[in-house]
Amino acid sequence: MKARHTLIALFILTISALPAFAQEDCPDVFKAELENISGIDAVVQNDGGFLAILKKGSKKRAVSIISQINKLRKNSAGECDFSGTAVAIMDSDLEQLKSKSSASMSKGDVTKLLYDHVYKLSPVQVAENLRGYEKLSELAPHNSYYKARKEHYAKRAELVKTRAEFIARCIKAFPKDQKIVNLKVKRDFYLFVVAGDTPLKTAEAFMDRIAQETPRPEKKMCVIAYSADLGKRKTSCPVEYQEMLNSNEEELLMRHVQSLPGYKVQQNINGYKALKKINPNSTLYTKKLAAYESKQEGLQRFLNLRIASGDKLISKDSNRGSTLYATINSKALDGKSASANKRLYRLLTDYYAASGYAYKKCVLKGAAGKTLGTISCGNSRCSFK
């Protein structure tokens, strides 16, 4: 009997506790409803209520969102009654909008909610952090922590601005400098590919000239300089950047190599050799290097074909962009019928395809300069026309 009474008591206790547990979930339910309203960028929740921050938009749109929030506060969901729920509303500039939903909230309540939002921002969101701490300093002018964070992000914002302007100036200027072959930049890492035997000296001289026109960022920079064939490498990098040097250099050098046209076979070979020095275990670099070396070997075999006399079939070659120009030795054509010459062109086309066609097009020329036809390649196939 006693056990029975105990079970009944536990059952009653459990039933009576269910609404309380349901009520504990209500703030999460309300937050989810707020987040579903189109035009709301972020929702913050604490014991003081809610803060809804709107996306950038028109005043008319903001009025509509405020109306939807107030309508939501009159609703209920299951055991949840949303009436009287306090919601502060700010626009994208963190200016608080007038609404009866925040009538019961003090400035301190709003400040705490805004701080919760700003605290969760990533440090790399410099503009957002600065805007947040500027507003917090306005709401709580005597708070030394908010003031210090505002000053910190103001300095970072200035650094971001100065860095962006300096990088933009470098990127704009380098194509006009005949000594600078290429330049790739990532934040404070600068990778130069330069002509001549003194890559680092040339790179630093270029940056000094830019600094005369555009202020150099206060933060130290890491300069990585390669010769044009990527055979020579020099760096000027602060000690604190050494742990990040390898990964950033690999990324920037990869961007340089990827910018090279496919028909510049030797440059691509040099590029993937240099990348393998940084990351020797990369299967991608190994495969790419092998593919370009195969193209190079195939091209040399094609250009060194011989006729029966032992003379080279292709007496002269040159290229313009992605087109190879190959002059056919007159000995291979003189005295031959038109059909025999056509068979030769077909054989050359098949051989060029098998060799890896380093150039997408190969224009065959006669000794007198007349165009005999063009080999065009794509998708592992070549045709002659």
Side-chain angles (χ1 to χ4, degrees):
M1 181 66 75
K2 185 177 181 181
R4 183 182 176 189
H5 283 293
T6 301
L7 287 172
I8 292 172
L10 284 171
F11 177 76
I12 294 170
L13 179 62
T14 302
I15 294 300
S16 63
L18 284 175
F21 286 133
Q23 289 292 337
E24 287 179 8
D25 293 334
C26 289
D28 292 334
V29 174
F30 187 78
K31 183 182 180 183
E33 293 290 340
L34 278 177
E35 290 172 336
N36 282 334
I37 296 176
S38 177
I40 291 182
D41 187 48
V43 176
V44 187
Q45 166 197 352
N46 65 21
D47 293 339
F50 292 83
L51 170 63
I53 300 174
L54 309 188
K55 295 178 182 177
K56 195 173 184 68
S58 64
K59 289 184 178 179
K60 185 177 179 181
R61 181 64 178 146
V63 171
S64 172
I65 295 170
I66 291 171
S67 176
Q68 291 179 68
I69 291 173
N70 286 324
K71 184 178 179 181
L72 176 62
R73 293 172 68 241
K74 296 177 183 179
N75 293 343
S76 60
E79 298 288 338
C80 300
D81 182 4
F82 299 149
S83 62
T85 303
V87 185
I89 306 168
M90 288 184 170
D91 63 17
S92 58
D93 294 321
L94 303 184
E95 294 296 329
Q96 188 171 352
L97 305 176
K98 290 183 179 180
S99 173
K100 58 186 178 182
S101 63
S102 59
S104 63
M105 301 177 76
S106 66
K107 183 189 286 188
D109 294 331
V110 177
T111 303
K112 288 178 182 178
L113 283 162
L114 179 59
Y115 175 70
D116 288 346
H117 168 69
V118 176
Y119 182 77
K120 292 176 183 177
L121 293 173
S122 167
V124 299
Q125 295 176 275
V126 176
E128 293 84 349
N129 272 283
L130 177 58
R131 185 163 56 245
Y133 283 110
E134 283 177 341
K135 188 62 182 179
L136 285 166
S137 295
E138 182 184 316
L139 292 170
H142 301 298
N143 188 303
S144 59
Y145 174 76
Y146 295 160
K147 181 180 178 182
R149 299 309 290 169
K150 181 182 77 170
E151 292 173 354
H152 168 77
Y153 278 105
K155 288 180 180 178
R156 287 198 60 188
E158 181 60 29
L159 171 63
V160 169
K161 179 175 176 290
T162 306
R163 178 196 283 142
E165 290 173 351
F166 189 80
I167 291 173
R169 181 61 184 155
C170 286
I171 296 298
K172 183 178 180 180
F174 93 81
K176 302 173 186 176
D177 191 321
Q178 293 183 352
K179 293 182 180 180
I180 309 298
V181 177
N182 205 351
L183 170 61
K184 298 298 178 184
V185 185
K186 180 184 177 184
R187 288 173 62 83
D188 303 308
F189 288 82
Y190 291 69
L191 185 141
F192 286 86
V193 179
V194 304
D197 298 325
T198 55
L200 183 59
K201 184 178 178 181
T202 302
E204 289 181 329
F206 170 80
M207 296 182 80
D208 287 342
R209 288 196 301 274
I210 297 300
Q212 293 175 5
E213 306 168 4
T214 305
R216 192 189 297 261
E218 288 186 14
K219 195 171 182 183
K220 295 177 182 178
M221 293 177 282
C222 179
V223 181
I224 308 156
Y226 279 87
S227 58
D229 64 357
L230 305 184
K232 290 184 179 180
R233 170 189 176 273
K234 293 284 186 180
T235 65
S236 175
C237 206
V239 175
E240 57 267 31
Y241 287 166
Q242 290 301 317
E243 289 186 3
M244 301 180 286
L245 174 58
N246 202 64
S247 60
N248 281 284
E249 181 177 357
E250 182 179 0
E251 179 182 338
L252 292 172
L253 184 57
M254 183 60 170
R255 282 166 52 186
H256 164 67
V257 175
Q258 287 179 328
S259 71
L260 297 172
Y263 62 83
K264 293 189 175 182
V265 178
Q266 187 58 56
Q267 290 187 31
N268 276 280
I269 289 172
N270 295 340
Y272 285 107
K273 280 184 177 179
L275 283 165
K276 273 184 69 65
K277 287 182 181 179
I278 300 174
N279 186 356
N281 296 321
S282 170
T283 55
L284 172 64
Y285 303 157
T286 301
K287 289 179 180 178
K288 286 285 189 179
L289 178 58
Y292 279 106
E293 286 179 334
S294 176
K295 277 180 180 286
Q296 183 79 301
E297 292 167 2
L299 178 63
Q300 291 307 311
R301 287 196 301 271
F302 177 77
L303 295 176
N304 286 297
L305 288 171
R306 304 280 171 170
I307 56 178
S309 65
D311 294 322
K312 291 177 67 174
L313 174 61
I314 297 171
S315 59
K316 186 171 63 174
D317 67 271
S318 62
N319 72 284
R320 288 200 296 271
S322 60
T323 301
L324 174 69
Y325 294 84
T327 300
I328 304 298
N329 192 324
S330 58
K331 293 180 180 179
L333 302 174
D334 291 348
K336 304 292 191 306
S337 66
S339 60
N341 286 337
K342 283 183 179 180
R343 283 196 300 272
L344 173 63
Y345 302 150
R346 284 199 298 270
L347 286 170
L348 281 173
T349 300
D350 292 341
Y351 194 90
Y352 189 68
S355 72
Y357 56 92
Y359 297 87
K360 295 291 185 184
K361 286 185 179 181
C362 176
V363 178
L364 301 181
K365 294 272 191 178
K370 179 183 177 181
T371 298
L372 305 174
T374 300
I375 301 172
S376 300
C377 303
N379 299 321
S380 301
R381 298 180 66 183
C382 295
S383 59
F384 180 80
K385 184 176 181 182

